[in-house]
Amino acid sequence: MSNTAQDSRGKQKERTGKVISAKMEKTIVVQVERRYQHPLYKKYIKRRKNYSVDDPKGRCNEGDTVRIIETRPISKTKRWRLSAILERAK
């Protein structure tokens, strides 16, 4: 059994979304959209949620597609940190 940092933290949630605001220092706002099927009507519904994400180096711009990962509370609203920039805005 290995004692890596990943093992001690357990399984962390990952989300993929689009940066909608990069105006703050060290913080970005990422909008994650998910689709699910209504249990009765079987119609697909879109739900969006905004996450405050820690971006200490300020690498992201609005419109970028990013992967975020769950982490310990960093501030009142930040519980996620930037994992990777998947696609830059055009």
Side-chain angles (χ1 to χ4, degrees):
M1 199 165 152
S2 64
N3 286 337
T4 62
Q6 185 67 17
D7 291 341
S8 63
R9 279 184 257 169
K11 188 155 175 65
Q12 294 172 312
K13 296 176 188 171
E14 283 188 356
R15 302 282 187 267
T16 302
K18 186 169 269 192
V19 178
I20 59 170
S21 174
K23 295 179 175 116
M24 296 174 273
E25 287 183 27
K26 301 182 181 183
T27 304
I28 57 174
V29 179
V30 176
Q31 187 173 67
V32 175
E33 186 175 282
R34 67 183 183 96
R35 290 181 55 204
Y36 70 96
Q37 193 176 36
H38 191 281
L40 177 61
Y41 301 115
K42 308 302 181 195
K43 182 179 177 179
Y44 283 94
I45 304 167
K46 286 183 194 175
R47 287 286 178 244
R48 295 183 182 114
K49 187 167 182 181
N50 293 345
Y51 295 97
S52 293
V53 179
D54 188 44
D55 180 18
K57 295 180 182 170
R59 298 180 294 168
C60 291
N61 297 315
E62 290 182 23
D64 292 351
T65 303
V66 296
R67 179 180 299 123
I68 59 175
I69 192 164
E70 189 178 37
T71 187
R72 63 181 176 78
I74 297 167
S75 71
K76 181 180 174 183
T77 58
K78 285 197 286 188
R79 272 95 174 112
W80 296 81
R81 63 183 162 84
L82 182 66
S83 175
I85 301 171
L86 304 176
E87 186 179 337
R88 291 281 184 187
K90 294 180 180 172

